[in-house]
């Protein structure tokens, strides 16, 4: 029993280090969400911070409502990309828990 507990503790420490490394990588991640066929682009970090918003001159004119919708859509596209990258980075670590994760639980916590 003692060896099993020691192995479990070692595995937990390794996972903690992997999570820390993955979080650092995600902090450096930047994705670009776009809408309107690329007329609006939002660059978002892995920490959900907006780095930049680019708006094509052709949509910067009269239709304010359309522009607002395109910015929101581009932001949402970027958020989905960040979440997909996050899930991909942390999904391998869930397997290292040896089935101790409750079904449906997402990493990071």
């Amino acid at each position: 029993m003692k060896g099993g507990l020691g192995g479990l503790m070692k595995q937990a420490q390794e996972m903690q280090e992997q999570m820390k490394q993955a979080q650092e990588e995600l902090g450096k991640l930047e994705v670009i969400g776009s809408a309107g066929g690329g007329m609006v682009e939002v660059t978002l970090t892995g920490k959900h911070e907006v780095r930049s918003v680019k708006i094509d001159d052709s949509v910067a004119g009269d239709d304010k409502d359309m522009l607002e919708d395109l910015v929101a859509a581009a932001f949402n596209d970027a958020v989905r990309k960040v979440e997909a990258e996050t899930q991909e980075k942390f999904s391998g670590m869930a397997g290292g828990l040896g089935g101790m994760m409750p079904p449906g639980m997402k990493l990071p916590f």
Side-chain angles (χ1 to χ4, degrees):
M1 182 64 121
K2 187 175 183 180
L5 183 59
L8 186 60
M9 292 297 291
K10 181 178 179 185
Q11 187 178 10
Q13 288 173 338
E14 289 171 0
M15 283 186 53
Q16 185 177 20
E17 183 59 36
Q18 290 173 348
M19 285 186 71
K20 180 180 175 187
Q21 182 179 0
Q23 287 174 332
E24 288 173 5
E25 289 175 17
L26 286 171
K28 297 174 187 174
L29 173 72
E30 286 191 2
V31 299
I32 298 174
S34 64
M39 291 188 295
V40 174
E41 294 183 349
V42 174
T43 303
L44 194 67
T45 70
K47 294 181 179 182
H48 296 93
E49 296 172 345
V50 176
R51 287 276 186 229
S52 68
V53 176
K54 294 182 182 177
I55 300 171
D56 189 274
D57 290 338
S58 65
V59 293
D62 300 331
D63 196 351
K64 182 178 180 245
D65 290 335
M66 182 184 73
L67 179 57
E68 290 170 347
D69 289 343
L70 289 172
V71 170
F75 179 79
N76 290 332
D77 183 48
V79 168
R80 282 189 293 276
K81 289 177 180 179
V82 167
E83 289 173 353
E85 289 283 336
T86 301
Q87 282 300 112
E88 185 178 319
K89 288 223 181 284
F90 285 96
S91 66
M93 286 179 232
L97 289 173
M100 296 186 312
M101 293 272 298
M105 184 170 208
K106 294 182 180 180
L107 290 173
F109 303 104

